[in-house]
Amino acid sequence: MIGLGAGRLERIVAVGAHCDDIAIGAGGTLLTLCRAHPGLRVDALVLTGGGTEREQEEEAALAAFCPGADLRLTVHKLPDGRLPVHWDEAKRAVEELRAQGDPDLVLAPRTDDAHQDHRGLARLVPTAFRDHLVLGYEIVKWDGDLGRMAAYQPLSPETAEDKVRLLQEHYPSQRHRPWYDREAFLGLARIRGIECHARYAEAFAVTKLTLNLGG
């Protein structure tokens, strides 16, 4: 297995359909990136939950998941579970995010996610971020849509534990869900770690990847 780095990162974009999607799918990666690149600019976009307690949860959570970063979060008010019929508004939000500049990396849902909101957003992202590295994160759920992944970010045991702690601490509205627990999050991270010869990891889907092996 070959490890490829992105070099010096200055700006990344993270998008989610719902408050907590980004943290669940890529929280460990955000912690790793922000700790390694102080002052990193993180532009985060969430399509639903604006004006509710979930927006407040998201603000506190992402601030914790992006230590030392220049975090800029926007939470819209599209209805949960109805993104496909609000396609124009969702596309406009993604395009407005793209207009803010060129990120070095985009974290987004994966295109084969079973949830219609996740999948819809994932399909919008490449229409705006055409020449960028987009990593599609995964979210464990009852649909059973986990599959073979192409890219891995190893997580130190400390980072994996920090991720679980922050998820439990900052999203009290989700604690009642049967899948929202330490065993689920650490269990998936352990499996993905096995797949990349690490203790823990987060895994990502990659639709397109342009190499610069001679640079």
Side-chain angles (χ1 to χ4, degrees):
M1 178 173 292
I2 299 175
L4 297 176
R8 175 64 189 175
L9 297 179
E10 296 183 355
R11 177 174 180 247
I12 68 172
V13 160
V15 299
H18 315 101
C19 297
D20 78 12
D21 284 355
I22 296 170
I24 292 174
T29 297
L30 284 176
L31 285 168
T32 301
L33 287 172
C34 292
R35 288 168 175 171
H37 303 278
L40 176 67
R41 175 173 167 179
V42 179
D43 290 286
L45 170 69
V46 179
L47 295 181
T48 67
T52 71
E53 66 171 357
R54 304 228 47 208
E55 180 176 5
Q56 297 173 7
E57 290 180 345
E58 189 76 338
E59 289 174 352
L62 290 188
F65 275 104
C66 300
D70 177 11
L71 174 64
R72 309 181 189 192
L73 170 63
T74 300
V75 182
H76 286 273
K77 298 181 179 180
L78 298 184
D80 188 350
R82 298 291 185 270
L83 192 150
V85 296
H86 292 271
W87 190 259
D88 288 344
E89 297 99 311
K91 184 174 177 62
R92 187 179 306 114
V94 172
E95 290 176 343
E96 289 173 353
L97 179 63
R98 172 66 181 90
Q100 296 176 18
D102 276 313
D104 301 302
L105 171 67
V106 179
L107 300 172
R110 56 196 179 91
T111 55
D112 56 352
D113 193 295
H115 193 295
Q116 69 272 14
D117 290 353
H118 301 170
R119 187 171 62 250
L121 175 56
R123 292 175 177 173
L124 275 174
V125 168
T127 69
F129 296 93
R130 294 178 177 270
D131 300 310
H132 303 81
L133 174 60
V134 179
L135 298 181
Y137 57 73
E138 58 183 349
I139 297 178
V140 64
K141 62 181 79 66
W142 71 271
D143 305 83
D145 61 355
L146 300 179
R148 179 172 292 180
M149 306 297 273
Y152 298 84
Q153 172 58 53
L155 305 177
S156 69
E158 294 78 15
T159 298
E161 291 285 355
D162 286 345
K163 173 183 176 177
V164 173
R165 176 180 56 81
L166 293 174
L167 286 173
Q168 293 290 347
E169 178 180 337
H170 288 288
Y171 296 104
S173 67
Q174 304 305 298
R175 293 174 188 158
H176 68 283
R177 299 185 181 277
W179 54 269
Y180 196 92
D181 60 32
R182 171 185 171 83
E183 289 180 309
F185 297 134
L186 273 186
L188 179 58
R190 180 70 185 107
I191 291 171
R192 295 314 190 189
I194 291 170
E195 294 173 352
C196 68
H197 297 279
R199 182 65 185 175
Y200 297 106
E202 286 177 340
F204 301 90
V206 180
T207 303
K208 289 184 178 181
L209 178 63
T210 299
L211 302 176
N212 181 20
L213 299 179

